[in-house]
Amino acid sequence: LFFGGLMMAYIFYRTAYPEAFVAASYHLDVKLGTINTVVLILSSLTMALAVHAAHDGNRRNINLFVIATMVLGAVFLVIKAYEYHHKWVEHLVPGSGFLFPVPDNAIGFESLQQHTHIFFLLYFTMTGLHATHMIIGQGGAECADDMFNACCMAGHHIGIPFRDDRFLRFGDRRACQMKSIQGLALVE
Protein backbone atom coordinates (compact mmCIF):
# COMPACT_ATOMS: atom_id res chain seq x y z
CA LEU A 1 0.00 0.00 0.00
CA PHE A 2 2.79 2.42 0.92
CA PHE A 3 4.72 1.60 -2.25
CA GLY A 4 1.53 2.07 -4.30
CA GLY A 5 1.16 5.53 -2.79
CA LEU A 6 4.73 6.34 -3.81
CA MET A 7 4.01 5.15 -7.35
CA MET A 8 0.95 7.40 -7.48
CA ALA A 9 3.04 10.33 -6.23
CA TYR A 10 5.61 9.60 -8.95
CA ILE A 11 2.91 9.51 -11.64
CA PHE A 12 1.38 12.74 -10.33
CA TYR A 13 4.67 14.66 -10.23
CA ARG A 14 5.92 13.11 -13.49
CA THR A 15 2.78 14.43 -15.17
CA ALA A 16 2.98 17.83 -13.45
CA TYR A 17 6.70 18.45 -14.14
CA PRO A 18 7.66 16.45 -17.23
CA GLU A 19 10.65 18.61 -18.25
CA ALA A 20 12.27 18.36 -14.81
CA PHE A 21 11.70 14.62 -14.60
CA VAL A 22 13.19 14.04 -18.05
CA ALA A 23 16.21 16.21 -17.19
CA ALA A 24 16.70 14.38 -13.88
CA SER A 25 16.37 10.97 -15.49
CA TYR A 26 19.46 11.67 -17.60
CA HIS A 27 21.43 11.40 -14.34
CA LEU A 28 20.38 7.78 -13.82
CA ASP A 29 22.51 4.94 -15.16
CA VAL A 30 20.35 3.04 -17.65
CA LYS A 31 22.79 0.13 -17.83
CA LEU A 32 22.84 -0.39 -14.05
CA GLY A 33 19.07 0.09 -13.88
CA THR A 34 18.60 -2.58 -16.54
CA ILE A 35 20.94 -4.97 -14.75
CA ASN A 36 19.10 -4.41 -11.47
CA THR A 37 15.76 -5.02 -13.18
CA VAL A 38 17.04 -8.35 -14.51
CA VAL A 39 18.44 -9.19 -11.06
CA LEU A 40 15.06 -8.49 -9.43
CA ILE A 41 13.16 -10.54 -12.00
CA LEU A 42 15.58 -13.44 -11.52
CA SER A 43 15.28 -13.16 -7.73
CA SER A 44 11.49 -13.32 -8.07
CA LEU A 45 11.90 -16.43 -10.21
CA THR A 46 14.27 -18.13 -7.76
CA MET A 47 11.93 -17.32 -4.87
CA ALA A 48 8.94 -18.74 -6.76
CA LEU A 49 11.02 -21.85 -7.50
CA ALA A 50 11.88 -22.14 -3.79
CA VAL A 51 8.19 -21.98 -2.88
CA HIS A 52 7.45 -24.60 -5.55
CA ALA A 53 10.25 -26.80 -4.17
CA ALA A 54 8.75 -26.44 -0.69
CA HIS A 55 5.38 -27.51 -2.04
CA ASP A 56 7.04 -30.60 -3.51
CA GLY A 57 9.00 -31.26 -0.31
CA ASN A 58 12.33 -30.93 -2.14
CA ARG A 59 14.56 -29.56 0.63
CA ARG A 60 17.69 -29.53 -1.54
CA ASN A 61 16.04 -27.24 -4.08
CA ILE A 62 14.56 -25.05 -1.36
CA ASN A 63 18.08 -24.42 -0.07
CA LEU A 64 19.47 -23.90 -3.56
CA PHE A 65 16.81 -21.40 -4.63
CA VAL A 66 16.74 -19.49 -1.35
CA ILE A 67 20.52 -19.10 -1.47
CA ALA A 68 20.27 -17.98 -5.12
CA THR A 69 17.60 -15.45 -4.09
CA MET A 70 19.82 -14.14 -1.31
CA VAL A 71 22.81 -13.83 -3.63
CA LEU A 72 20.71 -11.93 -6.16
CA GLY A 73 19.43 -9.71 -3.34
CA ALA A 74 23.03 -8.95 -2.36
CA VAL A 75 23.84 -8.08 -6.00
CA PHE A 76 20.89 -5.67 -6.02
CA LEU A 77 22.16 -4.00 -2.83
CA VAL A 78 25.72 -3.65 -4.15
CA ILE A 79 24.47 -2.01 -7.35
CA LYS A 80 22.21 0.32 -5.34
CA ALA A 81 25.13 1.29 -3.06
CA TYR A 82 27.22 2.13 -6.13
CA GLU A 83 24.40 4.19 -7.63
CA TYR A 84 23.75 6.01 -4.34
CA HIS A 85 27.43 6.86 -3.97
CA HIS A 86 27.47 8.27 -7.49
CA LYS A 87 24.44 10.46 -6.70
CA TRP A 88 26.12 11.61 -3.48
CA VAL A 89 29.23 12.69 -5.39
CA GLU A 90 27.07 14.56 -7.92
CA HIS A 91 25.13 16.35 -5.11
CA LEU A 92 21.88 14.74 -6.24
CA VAL A 93 20.88 13.39 -2.85
CA PRO A 94 17.79 15.23 -1.56
CA GLY A 95 18.46 17.68 1.23
CA SER A 96 20.27 20.95 1.83
CA GLY A 97 23.25 19.90 -0.33
CA PHE A 98 21.12 19.07 -3.39
CA LEU A 99 22.32 20.89 -6.49
CA PHE A 100 21.04 19.91 -9.89
CA PRO A 101 23.54 20.96 -12.57
CA VAL A 102 21.83 23.79 -14.49
CA PRO A 103 23.37 27.11 -15.46
CA ASP A 104 22.52 29.82 -12.90
CA ASN A 105 21.15 32.07 -15.62
CA ALA A 106 18.83 29.41 -17.06
CA ILE A 107 15.18 30.37 -17.32
CA GLY A 108 13.25 28.67 -14.55
CA PHE A 109 16.40 27.70 -12.61
CA GLU A 110 14.68 27.74 -9.20
CA SER A 111 11.69 25.78 -10.41
CA LEU A 112 13.90 23.20 -12.16
CA GLN A 113 15.93 22.81 -8.93
CA GLN A 114 12.74 22.22 -6.92
CA HIS A 115 11.18 19.81 -9.37
CA THR A 116 14.33 17.73 -9.92
CA HIS A 117 14.65 17.63 -6.14
CA ILE A 118 11.18 16.03 -6.03
CA PHE A 119 12.30 13.49 -8.66
CA PHE A 120 15.34 12.46 -6.62
CA LEU A 121 13.36 12.46 -3.39
CA LEU A 122 10.97 9.95 -4.94
CA TYR A 123 13.85 8.00 -6.52
CA PHE A 124 15.68 7.60 -3.21
CA THR A 125 12.50 6.89 -1.24
CA MET A 126 11.28 4.21 -3.64
CA THR A 127 14.60 2.48 -4.26
CA GLY A 128 15.61 2.91 -0.61
CA LEU A 129 12.38 1.32 0.57
CA HIS A 130 13.02 -1.63 -1.70
CA ALA A 131 16.62 -1.90 -0.53
CA THR A 132 15.40 -1.82 3.08
CA HIS A 133 13.03 -4.69 2.35
CA MET A 134 15.92 -6.61 0.81
CA ILE A 135 18.08 -6.06 3.90
CA ILE A 136 15.25 -7.11 6.23
CA GLY A 137 14.65 -10.19 4.09
CA GLN A 138 18.34 -11.12 4.17
CA GLY A 139 18.49 -10.62 7.95
CA GLY A 140 15.25 -12.50 8.50
CA ALA A 141 16.55 -15.43 6.50
CA GLU A 142 19.57 -15.68 8.77
CA CYS A 143 17.38 -15.65 11.91
CA ALA A 144 14.73 -18.10 10.71
CA ASP A 145 14.32 -21.48 12.40
CA ASP A 146 14.61 -23.41 9.18
CA MET A 147 15.30 -22.82 5.52
CA PHE A 148 11.65 -22.75 4.51
CA ASN A 149 10.86 -20.00 6.99
CA ALA A 150 13.81 -18.17 5.45
CA CYS A 151 12.33 -18.81 2.02
CA CYS A 152 9.01 -17.29 3.05
CA MET A 153 10.57 -14.30 4.77
CA ALA A 154 13.06 -13.52 2.01
CA GLY A 155 10.42 -13.94 -0.66
CA HIS A 156 8.00 -11.63 1.05
CA HIS A 157 10.62 -8.96 1.56
CA ILE A 158 11.64 -8.92 -2.08
CA GLY A 159 8.10 -8.51 -3.26
CA ILE A 160 6.88 -11.97 -4.22
CA PRO A 161 3.09 -11.70 -4.42
CA PHE A 162 1.87 -14.12 -1.74
CA ARG A 163 -1.64 -12.81 -2.27
CA ASP A 164 -2.75 -15.97 -4.07
CA ASP A 165 -3.19 -18.60 -1.38
CA ARG A 166 -2.52 -21.51 -3.74
CA PHE A 167 1.19 -20.69 -3.26
CA LEU A 168 0.73 -21.05 0.49
CA ARG A 169 -1.52 -24.09 0.84
CA PHE A 170 0.95 -26.94 1.12
CA GLY A 171 -1.23 -29.30 3.14
CA ASP A 172 1.30 -30.04 5.91
CA ARG A 173 3.60 -28.45 8.48
CA ARG A 174 6.30 -27.72 5.86
CA ALA A 175 4.49 -24.43 5.23
CA CYS A 176 5.65 -21.32 6.99
CA GLN A 177 5.52 -21.78 10.74
CA MET A 178 4.99 -18.07 11.17
CA LYS A 179 1.35 -17.06 11.51
CA SER A 180 1.94 -13.93 9.51
CA ILE A 181 4.62 -11.92 7.83
CA GLN A 182 4.04 -8.21 8.25
CA GLY A 183 0.33 -8.70 8.76
CA LEU A 184 -0.10 -11.17 5.89
CA ALA A 185 -2.02 -14.20 7.15
CA LEU A 186 -0.58 -17.44 5.83
CA VAL A 187 -2.56 -20.60 5.25
CA GLU A 188 -1.34 -23.57 7.32
Side-chain angles (χ1 to χ4, degrees), residues 65-144:
F65 292 126
V66 167
I67 289 168
T69 302
M70 292 176 72
V71 167
L72 290 165
V75 169
F76 170 84
L77 293 172
V78 167
I79 291 172
K80 273 293 139 212
Y82 177 81
E83 287 181 308
Y84 284 5
H85 173 75
H86 185 68
K87 301 297 170 273
W88 178 266
V89 170
E90 289 186 332
H91 302 282
L92 295 175
V93 176
S96 61
F98 181 83
L99 184 61
F100 190 75
V102 235
D104 289 339
N105 60 355
I107 297 173
F109 171 77
E110 286 296 321
S111 132
L112 187 60
Q113 280 293 323
Q114 291 172 347
H115 300 154
T116 55
H117 190 265
I118 292 170
F119 172 88
F120 282 105
L121 182 63
L122 288 168
Y123 167 79
F124 277 100
T125 302
M126 293 168 81
T127 60
L129 178 65
H130 196 260
T132 301
H133 277 223
M134 296 290 294
I135 292 166
I136 291 169
Q138 295 277 5
E142 292 171 13
C143 298

Side-chain angles (χ1 to χ4, degrees), residues 38-51:
V38 171
V39 165
L40 290 174
I41 290 169
L42 288 175
S43 70
S44 292
L45 173 64
T46 57
M47 192 61 230
L49 291 171
V51 171

Side-chain angles (χ1 to χ4, degrees), residues 168-186:
L168 300 172
R169 194 171 286 131
F170 302 112
D172 62 16
R173 302 305 282 172
R174 287 179 286 133
C176 283
Q177 300 299 314
M178 297 168 290
K179 298 301 179 207
S180 67
I181 299 175
Q182 290 186 346
L184 174 66
L186 301 175

